[in-house]
Amino acid sequence: QQRLLAAVYKQAEAAELGLNIDLAVHHFLRIAHLDPTAALAVQANFDAIATLEGATRIEEAALMLADFRTRFPKHELNQGADLRLANMYEKTNNWAGAASEFLALAKNAEVGEIRQQSHFRAAELYLQLDDVPRSIELFRDYAHTWMQPEGLRMEAMHHMDMLYQRTGEGSKRRFWLRKKIELHQSMGVGALERPTYLAASAQLVFAEDAKADFERVRLVHPLKRSLKKKQGALQRTLKAYEATAKYSVAELTTHATFEIANLYSSLSKSIMDSDRPKALSELELAQYDILLEEEAFPFEEQAIGLHEINAQKTWIGVYDEWVKASFTELARLMPGRFGKQEETVTYAEAIH
């Protein structure tokens, strides 16, 4: 009986060498029909799976491997079957099957590294399946569980940011924006380009929040009181944009510079558009307008200086949408002087 089984096994090997895959699989599986209790029957079943996989007939191999795992759960050949099956499902675009397998590995794998990698991959696959609640759950758990590597943890936080944008949950999104900024700070000077960009982008959102608060403050009579409130909002917004620029990400620095310039320009316009006191004579109203112009002019000058700084980025080969927008604003703010070379001021000096 053993010689018979061995002969069939040799027939399967010969068929495989001859690239007759169907015949090879047939002979490997025939051994189990001849003697289901034989140790060689289990090995032959396993070899049939490998033969199909080697012939890139992955779907068939995955079906057989799933069956093998069910019938021989404690067999030594079953070690690593979960990860192998997950990879097979990925290769055949069976995202649901792959996600389920990686999720099981994340919970049950003996090796910590496999649990970690499977956890992240399961989250990605559920996102690919557009299962937003499960994706949120898994990326959140990953970010809270796995501290290293920091770059992958940052990506999990970024997914949380993007997912909460989709669900419209702004406060939860900002929780993860703060987490990205904090994680980048913990990386120190060794932080790589990608985490730096993500942290700078997170800070930009907080700057835009501050800008919205600034824009909501109206200048009304008495001007002195409301202007003080407006300037307080301006300082908070400037600080937020300055924090964005400190990351030294080129496209976000030009964005922040443009927005700061526009803040000054907006304040200048708000002063000029502010409510006038009632019961002023024509002469008094003209004098009041002159006072407003004197108050507004320095802010417009600061706006021009900052737009010029952005425009000068072209000297080092930077010409993005924010540099282009600064050129447009310069043409509007000083059409007669546009193109004239101005004295260069440092970024820090210009925004104070």
Side-chain angles (χ1 to χ4, degrees), residues 66-77:
D67 178 65
F68 184 91
R69 186 177 60 175
T70 301
R71 290 192 295 119
F72 310 106
K74 296 184 179 180
H75 196 281
E76 61 180 6
L77 290 175

Side-chain angles (χ1 to χ4, degrees), residues 156-323:
M157 292 177 177
H158 183 56
H159 278 297
M160 293 300 291
D161 168 11
M162 302 299 289
L163 285 163
Y164 280 131
Q165 282 189 68
R166 288 182 60 180
T167 62
E169 297 175 271
S171 61
K172 291 182 178 180
R173 181 197 176 198
R174 280 156 181 76
F175 172 86
W176 288 103
L177 291 174
R178 284 189 288 272
K179 285 292 184 183
K180 285 198 281 186
I181 293 169
E182 291 168 5
L183 178 56
H184 181 266
Q185 288 173 343
S186 72
M187 293 179 181
V189 295
L192 298 177
E193 183 177 335
R194 171 68 175 172
T196 300
Y197 177 83
L198 293 179
S201 298
Q203 178 58 44
L204 182 62
V205 176
F206 290 116
E208 290 169 347
D209 288 346
K211 176 187 172 184
D213 292 338
F214 166 81
E215 290 175 342
R216 278 192 288 269
V217 179
R218 289 189 66 249
L219 293 182
V220 295
H221 189 71
L223 181 60
K224 185 175 181 180
R225 184 186 305 167
S226 59
L227 182 58
K228 183 177 180 180
K229 186 177 180 182
K230 187 81 168 175
Q231 287 178 316
L234 172 67
Q235 291 305 315
R236 290 188 292 274
T237 310
L238 288 176
K239 185 177 180 180
Y241 277 118
E242 288 170 20
T244 304
K246 285 179 181 177
Y247 285 96
S248 299
V249 177
E251 65 188 89
L252 300 184
T253 298
T254 56
H255 188 169
T257 304
F258 174 84
E259 294 292 355
I260 292 173
N262 265 14
L263 286 170
Y264 285 123
S265 200
S266 174
L267 182 55
S268 175
K269 185 177 184 302
S270 295
I271 291 172
M272 295 306 300
D273 293 343
S274 63
D275 295 341
R276 270 50 171 178
K278 296 179 180 179
L280 290 181
S281 67
E282 187 176 340
L283 178 59
E284 288 171 334
L285 184 58
Q287 290 173 333
Y288 188 82
D289 285 343
I290 291 172
L291 291 174
L292 289 181
E293 288 179 6
E294 291 175 352
E295 187 75 29
F297 181 72
F299 295 116
E300 186 170 308
E301 284 291 290
Q302 287 178 294
I304 290 170
L306 283 161
H307 283 308
E308 286 180 328
I309 288 173
N310 246 11
Q312 289 166 7
K313 290 290 195 302
T314 56
W315 300 351
I316 57 173
V318 177
Y319 187 69
D320 58 21
E321 60 177 306
W322 303 107
V323 173

